[in-house]
């Protein structure tokens, strides 16, 4: 099992550019999520999905879109990058739909800089 | 708003020292509690979790944590740290939502050999 994979590992964007962060898991997990991590702050949930075709907003969804067309993939789209989106982005998955009931498995992270 | 507080952002210890990392939360309902760890260059991974039962839970690599409901705390402990314990440690607590945990800001632990 590769677990949770994310690409790219590093990315630099200019303000206003769009891009997609890729996330895939091969564990047949129902729950997938995107977090951002900023210095001095905990992980903050951007969007999550409890199964293919189902997505919902987390704590900080503005400026991001997601889709879940398959169980395996959960891409995160930045529509028009802003410097405030400079962060480290983590994708995670969990076997249970109820995230408090089970372990989350994390990808390696994507370090994004917006100039 | 619900919150999780990790008291120390940076901790530096020598090998063989004892470790206690604090975690306090504000949610008043039934909670599930987690400690995750990120070793340098590795993914975040689960260290231990508490759902119910014995409030003293044991995790991987000799770590343990104690849930004290009256203090809203879930402190992480290890009697004798090793250089390989150098990592960032995150506390997370369930909220009223089934789909979101509340995370602390993390504690960076450096163990001097």
């Amino acid at each position: 099992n590769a677990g949770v994979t994310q690409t790219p590992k590093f990315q630099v964007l200019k303000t206003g550019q769009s891009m997609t962060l890729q996330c895939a898991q091969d564990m047949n997990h129902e729950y997938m999520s995107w977090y951002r991590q900023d210095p001095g702050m905990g992980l903050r949930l951007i969007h999550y999905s409890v199964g293919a075709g189902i997505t919902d907003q987390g704590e900080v969804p503005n400026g991001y879109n997601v889709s879940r067309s398959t169980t395996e993939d959960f891409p995160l789209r930045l529509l028009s990058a802003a410097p405030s989106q400079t962060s480290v982005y983590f994708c995670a998955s969990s076997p249970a739909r109820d995230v408090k009931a089970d372990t989350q498995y994390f990808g390696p992270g994507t370090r994004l800089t917006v100039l | 708003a619900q919150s999780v507080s990790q008291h120390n952002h940076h901790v530096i210890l020598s090998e063989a020292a004892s470790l206690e990392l604090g975690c306090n939360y504000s949610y008043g309902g039934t909670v599930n509690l987690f400690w995750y760890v990120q070793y340098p260059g590795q993914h975040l991974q689960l260290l231990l979790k508490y759902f119910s039962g014995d409030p003293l839970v044991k995790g991987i690599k000799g770590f343990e944590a104690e849930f004290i409901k009256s203090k809203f705390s879930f402190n992480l402990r290890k009697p004798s740290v090793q250089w390989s314990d150098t990592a960032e440690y995150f506390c997370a607590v369930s909220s009223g939502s089934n789909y979101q945990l509340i995370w602390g800001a993390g504690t960076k632990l450096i163990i001097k050999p």
Side-chain angles (χ1 to χ4, degrees):
Chain A
N1 278 357
V4 180
T5 58
Q6 289 182 238
T7 55
K9 289 187 177 177
F10 301 94
Q11 183 69 49
V12 179
L13 293 178
K14 295 181 179 178
T15 297
Q17 287 184 314
S18 62
M19 80 158 295
T20 299
L21 306 185
Q22 301 292 343
C23 174
Q25 52 92 9
D26 61 359
M27 298 173 282
N28 202 33
H29 286 173
E30 291 195 86
Y31 180 93
M32 294 186 74
S33 58
W34 277 102
Y35 291 94
R36 59 178 290 172
Q37 183 191 12
D38 301 295
M41 305 184 73
L43 297 174
R44 292 185 292 168
L45 184 66
I46 303 171
H47 285 284
Y48 66 91
S49 167
V50 296
I54 307 169
T55 64
D56 207 343
Q57 297 180 350
E59 183 184 354
V60 288
N62 292 343
Y64 307 94
N65 270 357
V66 291
S67 59
R68 183 102 180 265
S69 55
T70 66
T71 300
E72 294 78 22
D73 299 300
F74 191 46
L76 177 72
R77 296 182 188 85
L78 280 70
L79 309 172
S80 177
S84 60
Q85 294 179 304
T86 294
S87 188
V88 180
Y89 291 85
F90 290 102
C91 179
S93 72
S94 179
R97 285 190 164 200
D98 180 354
V99 73
K100 70 178 186 290
D102 212 329
T103 302
Q104 289 190 74
Y105 296 83
F106 284 83
T110 295
R111 188 173 294 273
L112 175 68
T113 301
V114 182
L115 303 175
Chain B
Q2 297 156 17
S3 64
V4 174
S5 175
Q6 292 184 240
H7 313 298
N8 306 102
H9 293 302
H10 293 89
V11 173
I12 301 173
L13 294 173
S14 297
E15 275 194 316
S18 64
L19 170 71
E20 181 160 4
L21 301 183
C23 174
N24 285 87
Y25 61 93
S26 64
Y27 183 62
T30 300
V31 291
N32 291 0
L33 301 148
F34 303 82
W35 276 97
Y36 281 83
V37 60
Q38 186 172 29
Y39 297 103
Q42 296 188 27
H43 303 196
L44 266 160
Q45 59 185 284
L46 182 72
L47 198 55
L48 49 79
K49 60 189 177 187
Y50 171 80
F51 288 172
S52 64
D54 188 345
L56 184 63
V57 293
K58 296 192 184 299
I60 60 172
K61 304 190 180 186
F63 285 90
E64 64 180 29
E66 185 175 13
F67 171 48
I68 303 179
K69 188 175 180 179
S70 61
K71 295 185 177 181
F72 297 88
S73 70
F74 189 54
N75 292 354
L76 181 70
R77 300 195 293 245
K78 187 171 184 178
S80 176
V81 295
Q82 301 172 310
W83 176 78
S84 58
D85 294 325
T86 293
E88 190 162 16
Y89 294 80
F90 293 91
C91 180
V93 179
S94 62
S95 65
S97 166
N98 286 346
Y99 309 120
Q100 181 168 343
L101 301 181
I102 309 300
W103 293 78
T107 297
K108 289 186 177 176
L109 174 66
I110 296 173
I111 306 300
K112 298 184 295 183

